[in-house]
Amino acid sequence: MSEWSPDTRRVLRAYLRAIAVAEPLERELAARYGVALGDVHSLRVLRDLGEVPISRLSAALCIKASRATNLVDRLEGAGLVERGVDPSDRRVTTLRLTARAQEALGDRALFESSDLVRHVESLTSDERVLLSTLLERMLEQRPEDAAGGEAVAEAPATRQAAAAAGAAARDGSARSEVARR
């Protein structure tokens, strides 16, 4: 096994500390609604799509069908998603959010009172753009996608944001601001 570079160790330490900031929110979401913080994005996507077949949710999330099925099974078990039948083709199973999921997504006070949101809001606008760009880029390079699975295409907006973030980092403004914190 190769030794990690100092930069990799620094990133991993910072990432794990950031996860710890999100843990109280994760626990509260699980206690109130039975949903993991990581599943909130999936619920938002399904809310925006409306009632759709699982294949459409899978495509929108850029995940394999088997992974989407596991996700839906978990969300259904928590009472957040219901399966239905497409009236125009009874062979097609559709998905829709339950009232419990709608309530979880609408609980802005829970998110707004979290340390996670306070930490993100303490960053400058440029820092938030840089952070989101880097996290999105990291997620686009998931090992399952790079190993011949379903590749995730990089959106043009992400490329533009990455270019802008790179320019900000090169001129030192974002880096010097982060270093002061």
Side-chain angles (χ1 to χ4, degrees), residues 51-53 84-94:
E51 189 169 344
V52 295
V85 177
D86 186 332
S88 64
D89 185 349
R90 298 192 53 79
R91 297 171 295 173
V92 176
T93 300
T94 59

Side-chain angles (χ1 to χ4, degrees), residues 36-47:
L37 185 57
D39 293 335
V40 171
H41 172 68
S42 301
L43 292 174
R44 286 183 176 151
V45 168
L46 183 55
R47 177 196 60 202

Side-chain angles (χ1 to χ4, degrees), residues 35-173:
V35 65
L37 185 57
D39 293 335
V40 171
H41 172 68
S42 301
L43 292 174
R44 286 183 176 151
V45 168
L46 183 55
R47 177 196 60 202
D48 294 345
L49 291 172
E51 189 169 344
V52 295
I54 195 167
S55 59
R56 180 111 183 263
L57 178 63
S58 173
L61 293 173
C62 300
I63 60 176
K64 295 178 182 177
S66 60
R67 190 167 165 212
T69 298
N70 291 336
L71 168 70
V72 170
D73 288 345
R74 189 173 64 252
L75 295 174
E76 184 179 38
L80 299 165
V81 172
E82 295 175 337
R83 285 181 165 99
V85 177
D86 186 332
S88 64
D89 185 349
R90 298 192 53 79
R91 297 171 295 173
V92 176
T93 300
T94 59
L95 307 171
R96 66 179 164 275
L97 294 182
T98 64
R100 180 180 170 98
Q102 296 286 359
E103 182 182 347
L105 291 175
D107 194 347
R108 290 189 54 88
L110 178 62
F111 285 89
E112 290 171 355
S113 66
S114 73
D115 286 342
L116 177 61
V117 170
R118 280 195 291 277
H119 278 78
V120 170
E121 287 181 337
S122 73
L123 300 173
T124 66
S125 178
D126 288 344
E127 291 169 337
R128 287 190 298 266
V129 169
L130 179 60
L131 178 61
S132 64
T133 300
L134 294 173
L135 289 171
E136 288 166 354
R137 182 171 176 207
M138 184 177 79
L139 292 172
E140 289 170 352
Q141 298 176 8
R142 294 181 300 201
E144 67 193 42
D145 297 326
E150 298 173 25
V152 178
E154 186 175 333
T158 303
R159 285 193 300 272
Q160 291 168 352
R170 281 191 297 280
D171 78 11
S173 63

Side-chain angles (χ1 to χ4, degrees), residues 28-39:
E28 190 62 29
L29 278 168
R32 286 189 193 183
Y33 304 108
V35 65
L37 185 57
D39 293 335

